[in-house]
Amino acid sequence: DYVESKRKWVKPATITVYNNMIGHFEAFEKFRELPITFSSFDYQFYEDFRDFLTFEYEIPRKKKPVYGLRENTIGKTIKQFRIFIKDRVKRKIIPAIDLSDYKIPEEETDAIYLTYEEIGRIYHLDLTDQPDLEPYRRWFVLACLTGLRFSDFSALRPEDLQQDMLYKKQEKSEHWVVIPLRREAKEIFTEQFKSELPYICNSDFNKKIKELAKMAGICQTIKFSYKKGNKMIQEIRPKWAWITSHTARRSFCTNEFLKGTPVYLIMKISGHKREKDFYKYIRITPEEAAQKIKTLWMERGDMEVFKNPLKRVINMQSA
């Protein structure tokens, strides 16, 4: 009933989140062999449900059995569940339920970005023998140069280009953004619409761009870690294997940040409304952060903080 009441008001992606939440509860109901009712929701239920999602829940559509969801995925389920309960209470369908102990788990995600040099290697790949990869290469590079999400760049149309600017209403936030185009981005955009564009789904897109990055030699070994209960799980893969469609958006934000573009201007293009959310996209290494600070010091003439006053007097006397 809740999902149907929301269907006309939320994006299809949000309906998918609701359906995933229903699937999680159905799986837990089957696992504990007890029906879930509104009276079930106490702190013990929360603890048992979170434990189940962390360790016992079998992720569907995997070739080999994989158990346990990431902290942020569990957090998304708990967050939507709380919203659902509050909605039922407001409508007086159920009495008030204390959900103050239903904490929303969250952890900082590990994610990569591509440098302009790495994006250039993909851009200049010779795809003579694999022309089927060309549309994926174009969309991905264009996304890296504009910061658009997959849902937005895959829905671009010729009329979105006006006076070398892209005018696009973001699907997720319904926020209008105006994006200036570099020469390469404009060439790609123009070339895309010279023939009928093939349909591209996100899962296929993610597979193809990994293939492109592998061909471009983006093979640096990357190690990421995440929590599962009290354990820290580590995964080691080549950099190309970590790439997804969202890598493009993250690359745009990070590269512009490193180039010194003011954050408020980047946010005007990325569509972020809060700096807190924007900074989640910035993925720089400690070395890059140190080099960025050093560059700023040099630009400001701050490489020497404690100037020797005696040296200054001597220089004045010499003059």
Side-chain angles (χ1 to χ4, degrees):
D1 178 69
Y2 174 75
V3 174
E4 289 307 312
S5 71
K6 295 289 185 180
R7 196 175 294 277
K8 293 181 180 179
W9 298 98
V10 300
K11 299 290 183 181
T14 306
I15 296 296
T16 300
V17 172
Y18 295 157
N19 289 332
N20 289 339
M21 181 175 67
I22 292 171
H24 295 162
F25 276 106
E26 289 177 340
F28 183 50
E29 190 174 56
K30 183 179 179 180
F31 173 79
R32 74 176 198 154
E33 298 179 342
L34 284 173
I36 298 175
T37 67
F38 285 112
S39 62
S40 303
F41 302 133
D42 56 16
Y43 183 67
Q44 187 61 52
F45 177 90
Y46 166 77
E47 278 198 329
D48 293 343
F49 183 50
R50 183 173 174 178
D51 286 350
F52 167 73
L53 293 180
T54 303
F55 301 106
E56 279 85 26
Y57 178 73
E58 183 176 352
I59 301 175
R61 297 181 295 279
K62 295 289 185 180
K63 293 182 180 179
K64 295 181 180 179
V66 177
Y67 297 93
L69 298 171
R70 296 285 187 90
E71 282 279 279
N72 289 337
T73 305
I74 296 171
K76 187 180 293 185
T77 294
I78 300 298
K79 177 183 177 181
Q80 291 298 334
F81 167 71
R82 286 166 56 107
I83 294 172
F84 160 67
I85 290 296
K86 289 177 182 178
D87 176 90
R88 300 293 93 177
V89 171
K90 284 181 180 178
R91 297 175 187 275
K92 301 190 183 327
I93 296 173
I94 61 171
I97 297 176
D98 182 11
L99 299 174
S100 57
D101 289 326
Y102 276 53
K103 305 300 181 186
I104 300 173
E106 184 180 13
E107 67 175 343
E108 184 176 338
T109 57
D110 289 319
I112 62 163
Y113 83 99
L114 298 182
T115 65
Y116 282 132
E117 188 273 334
E118 290 170 326
I119 299 167
R121 279 150 62 182
I122 295 175
Y123 178 69
H124 290 292
L125 274 176
D126 183 358
L127 298 179
T128 304
D129 296 330
Q130 292 178 276
D132 59 304
L133 292 176
E134 185 61 48
Y136 300 92
R137 186 249 298 274
R138 289 177 183 166
W139 281 138
F140 183 67
V141 174
L142 182 64
C144 287
L145 298 178
T146 58
L148 289 171
R149 297 180 181 89
F150 177 85
S151 58
D152 294 323
F153 71 73
S154 61
L156 287 171
R157 294 293 176 264
E159 57 270 21
D160 295 329
L161 178 64
Q162 300 176 36
Q163 297 179 343
D164 295 340
M165 302 277 194
L166 276 183
Y167 289 74
K168 186 64 181 174
K169 188 175 185 179
Q170 295 181 325
E171 181 178 314
K172 182 177 180 180
S173 64
E174 297 186 345
H175 180 77
W176 276 98
V177 295
V178 181
I179 306 172
L181 295 185
R182 286 185 166 90
R183 179 182 57 79
E184 296 92 342
K186 184 180 178 182
E187 287 177 358
I188 292 171
F189 184 90
T190 305
E191 189 68 25
Q192 285 290 74
F193 296 101
K194 286 185 177 180
S195 58
E196 185 176 350
L197 294 176
Y199 170 75
I200 297 177
C201 70
N202 203 356
S203 58
D204 286 343
F205 185 80
N206 286 336
K207 292 177 184 176
K208 299 297 186 182
I209 59 178
K210 285 180 173 64
E211 188 176 343
L212 286 164
K214 186 177 182 181
M215 291 170 60
I218 303 174
C219 301
Q220 173 190 355
T221 300
I222 303 289
K223 178 172 67 176
F224 285 145
S225 59
Y226 62 93
K227 287 180 63 177
K228 179 171 278 193
N230 61 357
K231 294 183 178 179
M232 192 65 72
I233 310 299
Q234 290 187 338
E235 289 187 35
I236 301 175
R237 303 180 195 171
K239 190 172 183 177
W240 61 263
W242 292 104
I243 292 176
T244 68
S245 59
H246 221 59
T247 302
R249 181 167 165 80
R250 190 173 290 108
S251 298
F252 173 82
C253 292
T254 303
N255 284 320
E256 288 302 313
F257 178 80
L258 288 173
K259 290 289 186 180
T261 304
V263 169
Y264 76 94
L265 290 180
I266 305 175
M267 290 173 62
K268 284 290 185 182
I269 294 177
S270 67
H272 288 102
K273 295 181 179 178
R274 301 185 304 172
E275 284 195 11
K276 177 184 176 182
D277 296 329
F278 170 80
Y279 279 111
K280 291 179 181 178
Y281 274 77
I282 302 302
R283 288 292 184 268
I284 59 176
T285 65
E287 291 81 7
E288 288 171 326
Q291 186 59 50
K292 180 65 176 175
I293 292 175
K294 185 177 180 180
T295 300
L296 291 172
W297 286 346
M298 294 174 69
E299 290 175 354
R300 297 196 303 251
D302 286 348
M303 287 302 289
E304 185 182 358
V305 181
F306 303 112
K307 309 216 184 306
N308 189 333
L310 182 59
K311 181 180 178 181
R312 183 182 177 186
V313 170
I314 294 172
N315 289 338
M316 290 179 66
Q317 289 176 346
S318 298

